[in-house]
Amino acid sequence: MPLPETGFLRLPQIVGDSKSKPPVPALIPVSRSTWWAGVKSGRYPRPVKLGPRITAWRVEDIRRLIQDTVV
């Protein structure tokens, strides 16, 4: 799945969701608990609250994380 230039990604779009139909492949292959521990420690970007029950991450931050990890 190509990433859009701007916008937001929800957690299943980042760490994947094998139970959805069709399955969503992971951009960052870690578990949800590992992702949240990384957010807490500062290893992964901080989320943005879009609503009371909606948490997302900026595409730009995820793109930068992937680029920094690969390089």
Side-chain angles (χ1 to χ4, degrees), residues 48-68:
V48 176
K49 290 294 280 184
L50 300 178
R53 294 178 44 129
I54 302 173
T55 301
W57 284 262
R58 290 181 181 87
V59 170
E60 298 89 342
D61 294 342
I62 300 302
R63 195 181 287 277
R64 190 175 315 109
L65 174 66
I66 293 169
Q67 183 180 12
D68 291 349

Side-chain angles (χ1 to χ4, degrees), residues 33-45:
S33 59
T34 299
W35 177 261
W36 281 111
V39 168
K40 185 175 181 180
S41 72
R43 179 177 181 176
Y44 299 133

Side-chain angles (χ1 to χ4, degrees), residues 9-44:
L9 294 173
R10 303 284 306 273
L11 189 56
Q13 294 170 298
I14 298 169
V15 300
D17 186 355
S18 61
K19 295 178 183 174
S20 72
K21 301 281 186 213
V24 178
L27 294 173
I28 313 286
V30 297
S31 69
R32 288 174 173 263
S33 59
T34 299
W35 177 261
W36 281 111
V39 168
K40 185 175 181 180
S41 72
R43 179 177 181 176
Y44 299 133

